[in-house]
């Protein structure tokens, strides 16, 4: 029997990969086909994404599938959230695809709140304040380059733009659209009254479609370049939404950490909590698969470790850094959500500065710096777990850690100790797996979210950590 292949293209802030999958003996089999680098570039005084180069890499990886004789039945792309491109009436990009870590949004929250008070905005959107949210980025365009907004006929989130280049179809995928802070959590559609108040052109906002939506097939030009045709099916295009779809639980609601560049910690709600109390705790209600809300908090995450590795020990693996940190004799705890950690010139020095300011032991070598970060992350996870339990009036005995951070054994042990909960770590390729699970569900090979999660649990290695010990 010929396998039916599904292709997930998962693009993160530092790299992208093409992951091909099929079902064999009832289990999901995953194969990496192609990997490429990504990163912000400096251009015209801004941090930007080179979307042209990224799309070229997308096509190279697709062509590699053809070279292997493994033609996907369908494919879908996921990326980070909040960033977008503006297109003119001829579908040409206006300006650059500016990255969320760019400083152009400084002060834009005040501009937004002159139009809509912060509390009202949270009640309407349920989305936590992050200065890089699309709503503030669009205000930066309006204030700093208004001519671009006047010329813009379309706004597409980054994965929606790539799907448009593949198919010629413009839509906004639901999970990523919610991160704009411009979607109504009740109607699950654009809040056009809010958009009008803010002065953003209504014409830019495309129809919102759910994960599983079939965009059709590749354009003739793309078919010629990659050597095949296939269907393009929307996954949860926000990488965290794909990762959460892959949380291998059979519980109706579970506590999870999608651990990578960011640590996204939360649970799932069937109805958004847009209360003042929820806002005070800075919890967000991002759209998830099957209209579940990802009720979570953004935590700075392994971006900090990635940065200090680049600065202090670029030839050392993350596993080696983790091992060294576990032996370091330092117990300094810092606030990992300090805004200074968002995009510093030198992460190591900022960590040391924060330690000095707090009158705490200052880490010296890579082992101590990493130990401070790992211990601080675990403390933040424990505090966040308590917040979520209070807000949802529910006790969670387990935490599922998915994504690349599930490989960080020292952090997993610290998290189990700090939270006093059993930690299940894996799968590490959660984002690609969730992307593929959405495609397989759309194709009828999986029978919905819980069936997908059952299959994922049976298909991939999951490690368990408890206070004082680890089990396979």
């Amino acid at each position: 029997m010929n396998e039916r292949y599904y292709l997930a293209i998962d693009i993160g802030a530092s790299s992208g990969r093409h992951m091909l999958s099929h079902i064999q003996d009832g289990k999901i089999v995953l194969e990496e086909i192609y990997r490429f680098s990504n990163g912000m570039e400096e251009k015209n005084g801004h941090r930007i994404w080179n979307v042209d180069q990224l799309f070229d890499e997308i096509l190279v990886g697709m062509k590699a599938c053809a070279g292997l004789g493994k033609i996907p039945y369908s494919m879908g792309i996921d990326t980070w959230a909040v960033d977008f491109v503006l297109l003119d009436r001829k579908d040409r990009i206006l300006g650059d695809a500016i990255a969320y870590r760019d400083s152009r949004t400084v002060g834009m929250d005040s501009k937004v709140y002159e139009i809509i008070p912060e509390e009202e905005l949270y009640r309407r959107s349920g989305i936590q304040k992050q200065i890089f949210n699309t709503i503030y980025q669009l205000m930066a365009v309006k204030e700093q380059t208004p001519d671009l907004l006047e010329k813009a006929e379309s706004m597409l989130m980054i994965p929606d733009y790539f799907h448009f280049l593949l198919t010629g179809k413009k839509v906004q995928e639901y999970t990523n659209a919610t991160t704009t802070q411009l979607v109504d959590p009740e109607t699950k559609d654009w809040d056009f009254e809010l958009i009008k108040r803010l002065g953003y052109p209504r014409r830019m906002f495309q129809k919102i479609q759910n994960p599983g939506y079939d965009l059709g097939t590749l354009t003739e030009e793309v078919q010629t370049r990659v050597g095949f045709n296939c269907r393009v099916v929307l996954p949860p295009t926000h990488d965290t939404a794909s990762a959460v779809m892959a949380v291998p639980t059979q519980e109706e609601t579970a506590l999870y950490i999608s651990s990578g560049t960011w640590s996204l910690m939360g649970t799932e709600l069937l109805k958004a909590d847009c209360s003042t109390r929820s806002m005070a705790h800075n919890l967000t209600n991002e759209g998830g698969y099957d209209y579940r809300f990802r009720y979570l908090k953004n935590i700075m995450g392994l971006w900090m470790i990635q940065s200090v590795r680049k600065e202090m020990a670029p030839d050392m693996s993350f596993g080696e850094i983790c091992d060294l940190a576990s032996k370091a004799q330092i117990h300094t705890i810092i606030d990992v959500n300090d805004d200074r950690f968002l995009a510093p010139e030198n992460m190591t020095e900022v960590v040391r500065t924060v330690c000095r300011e707090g009158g705490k032991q200052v880490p010296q070598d890579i082992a101590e710096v990493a130990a401070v970060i790992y211990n601080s992350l675990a403390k933040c996870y424990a505090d966040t777990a308590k917040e979520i339990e209070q807000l949802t009036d529910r006790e969670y005995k387990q935490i599922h850690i998915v994504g690349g951070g599930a490989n960080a054994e020292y952090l997993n042990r610290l998290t189990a100790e700090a939270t006093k909960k059993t930690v299940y770590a894996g799968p590490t390729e959660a984002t690609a797996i969730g992307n593929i699970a959405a495609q397989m569900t759309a194709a009828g090979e999986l029978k919905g979210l819980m069936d997908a999660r059952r299959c994922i649990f049976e298909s991939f290695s999951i490690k368990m950590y408890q206070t004082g010990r680890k089990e396979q």
Side-chain angles (χ1 to χ4, degrees), residues 381-400:
Y381 295 163
D383 293 343
T384 303
K386 289 178 182 177
E387 284 184 272
I388 292 171
E389 287 180 329
Q390 291 170 0
L391 289 163
T392 59
D393 193 27
R394 178 186 174 95
E395 181 182 0
Y396 303 87
K397 298 186 181 299
Q398 306 165 354
I399 299 176
H400 288 268

Side-chain angles (χ1 to χ4, degrees), residues 88-113:
D88 67 12
R89 65 181 57 193
K90 293 185 177 180
D91 295 327
R92 297 171 300 195
I93 290 184
L94 292 163
D96 293 304
I98 297 183
Y100 63 88
R101 292 187 191 274
D102 186 75
S103 61
R104 68 171 173 166
T105 53
V106 172
M108 292 302 111
D109 49 348
S110 298
K111 295 290 184 180
V112 168
Y113 301 150

Side-chain angles (χ1 to χ4, degrees), residues 357-377:
E357 291 175 354
K360 300 173 181 177
Q361 182 180 348
V362 178
Q364 299 304 313
D365 57 15
I366 182 66
E368 291 187 347
V369 174
V372 168
I373 293 170
Y374 284 131
N375 278 276
S376 300
L377 282 171

Side-chain angles (χ1 to χ4, degrees), residues 328-339:
Q329 299 300 308
I330 186 171
H331 303 288
T332 297
I333 300 293
I334 57 177
D335 176 11
V336 293
N337 290 322
D338 190 313
D339 285 343

Side-chain angles (χ1 to χ4, degrees), residues 181-238:
Q181 214 167 349
L182 294 167
V183 170
D184 185 324
E186 290 292 330
T187 66
K188 317 295 193 298
D189 199 0
W190 296 114
D191 186 338
F192 283 115
E193 196 273 335
L194 172 59
I195 288 167
K196 181 179 179 180
R197 284 169 63 181
L198 291 165
Y200 305 155
R202 178 178 178 137
R203 65 179 180 272
M204 299 193 312
F205 296 87
Q206 310 302 305
K207 183 175 177 59
I208 294 176
Q209 298 288 1
N210 288 329
Y213 179 79
D214 191 328
L215 279 167
T217 57
L218 304 175
T219 67
E220 290 185 7
E221 180 184 353
V222 172
Q223 290 180 46
T224 299
R225 291 185 66 178
V226 303
F228 64 86
N229 193 14
C230 71
R231 308 209 69 77
V232 178
V233 173
L234 293 182
T237 64
H238 182 190

Side-chain angles (χ1 to χ4, degrees), residues 19 38 155 189-190 215 241 271 283 342 383 431 454:
M19 306 292 284
N38 186 28
M155 182 193 80
D189 199 0
W190 296 114
L215 279 167
K271 180 177 173 59
L283 270 287
L342 182 61
D383 293 343
T431 302
R454 173 203 56 76

Side-chain angles (χ1 to χ4, degrees), residues 297-311:
K297 177 170 282 193
N298 284 43
I299 298 168
M300 200 64 71
L302 296 177
W303 156 252
M304 299 176 72
I305 290 290
Q306 292 163 4
S307 297
V308 297
R309 172 182 176 268
K310 183 177 180 181
E311 294 159 2

